[in-house]
Amino acid sequence: ISSLSFFGGGCISFLPMYYFAYRLSKINCFQQSKKILVQFYRAEIIKIIMTGSLCILLFKIGYFEPFPYVLGFVCAQLSSAVLTPV
């Protein structure tokens, strides 16, 4: 159960980040800056809603241990920050 909790935390972190990156890659660089900001904030809000919904869904489906879940979530967040090229 600990490994599933860790994996679930990592997936819940990765999936919304992937969606956010996908939405930002669709932005045309020749658009007005206001439209770019609107799309950026819209993608961020959807990312936050996805993260919350997936967290609730994970804990409603079955028994997961909180510590490995949080550890997997944090590891996925930190790995994305470390692996992202500057």
Side-chain angles (χ1 to χ4, degrees), residues 1-84:
I1 293 181
S2 295
S3 60
L4 282 177
S5 299
F6 186 85
F7 181 72
C11 286
I12 287 176
S13 174
F14 176 73
L15 291 174
M17 283 191 296
Y18 177 76
Y19 172 78
F20 182 75
Y22 174 75
R23 291 292 294 182
L24 288 186
S25 69
K26 294 292 184 180
I27 293 177
N28 186 358
C29 63
F30 298 111
Q31 292 178 349
Q32 295 177 356
S33 60
K34 186 175 182 177
K35 288 183 180 180
I36 292 173
L37 278 176
V38 166
Q39 290 178 350
F40 179 84
Y41 284 123
R42 185 176 296 147
E44 183 66 28
I45 289 170
I46 292 172
K47 180 180 129 179
I48 292 169
I49 291 170
M50 280 178 67
T51 303
S53 301
L54 288 172
C55 287
I56 291 170
L57 184 66
L58 179 73
F59 283 102
K60 288 286 184 181
I61 286 177
Y63 177 74
F64 285 91
E65 297 178 17
F67 181 72
Y69 162 75
V70 171
L71 188 64
F73 188 85
V74 169
C75 285
Q77 289 286 331
L78 291 178
S79 68
S80 70
V82 170
L83 297 176
T84 303

